[in-house]
């Protein structure tokens, strides 16, 4: 087991003191930098920095950033939820490290669709029928994987097919 222990600190968001969520910061008692390329290969980081090793993951509307000596989780309700998420990522780190012989390490983040490319296929009417304020916001949500081309009621057959073909080149589930 690579990562055994950590100390958890809960902090309020200084930019938004009235926010309904807090951030969790786990200070790791063991260095996990060597495991991060393997964890990235398993979980598919949205961003990976090789030096110093840092992997950032998006899951359930929150960001989890893992460095050699620290794990941060944003937008948690309380200490209990932060601890649950930290323990989950600790299991992922330890499993990836234990199985590293069978995992090809990955030293870059998962490729994501470009908002500008998505916008080229949208009608750009800002009609709000997709429940987004603008087509730009809708394109951002598509790039994140939170929306699909079917959510735009004004996307015609040819444009929809071209957009779907473009989006199919990416793994939007990570």
């Amino acid at each position: 087991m690579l990562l055994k222990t950590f100390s958890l600190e809960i902090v309020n968001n200084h930019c938004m003191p009235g926010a309904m969520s807090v951030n969790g910061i786990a200070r790791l008692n063991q260095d996990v930098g060597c495991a991060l390329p393997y964890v990235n290969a398993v979980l598919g980081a949205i961003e990976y920095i090789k030096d110093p090793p840092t992997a950032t993951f998006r899951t359930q509307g929150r960001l989890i950033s893992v460095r050699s000596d620290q794990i941060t989780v944003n937008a948690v309700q309380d200490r209990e939820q932060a601890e649950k998420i930290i323990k989950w990522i600790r299991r992922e780190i330890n499993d990836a490290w234990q199985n590293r012989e069978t995992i090809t390490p990955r030293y870059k983040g998962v490729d994501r669709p470009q908002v500008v490319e998505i916008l080229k296929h949208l009608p750009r009417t800002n009609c709000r029928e997709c429940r987004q304020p603008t087509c730009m916001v809708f394109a951002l949500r598509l790039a994140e994987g939170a929306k699909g081309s079917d959510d735009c009621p004004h996307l015609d057959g040819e444009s929809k097919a071209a957009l779907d073909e473009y989006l199919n080149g990416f793994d939007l589930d990570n």
Side-chain angles (χ1 to χ4, degrees), residues 90-160:
R90 177 178 63 181
R91 281 192 306 274
E92 293 295 329
I93 291 167
N94 287 330
D95 287 350
W97 185 246
Q98 182 177 341
N99 296 312
R100 67 188 179 276
E101 298 296 325
T102 62
I103 299 170
T104 302
R106 183 173 171 93
Y107 296 95
K108 67 177 195 165
V110 174
D111 293 332
R112 292 289 179 194
Q114 300 298 307
V115 173
V116 172
E117 291 301 315
I118 293 171
L119 271 171
K120 289 178 182 177
H121 302 289
L122 297 178
R124 296 184 298 277
T125 60
N126 296 329
C127 69
R128 298 184 180 179
E129 291 180 43
C130 63
R131 300 181 190 244
Q132 300 302 310
T134 64
C135 289
M136 174 66 87
V137 174
F138 181 75
L140 287 167
R141 302 295 287 156
L142 274 169
E144 294 171 344
K147 291 279 185 181
S149 64
D150 291 336
D151 295 317
C152 177
H154 298 286
L155 202 55
D156 65 28
E158 189 176 307
S159 293
K160 183 181 180 323

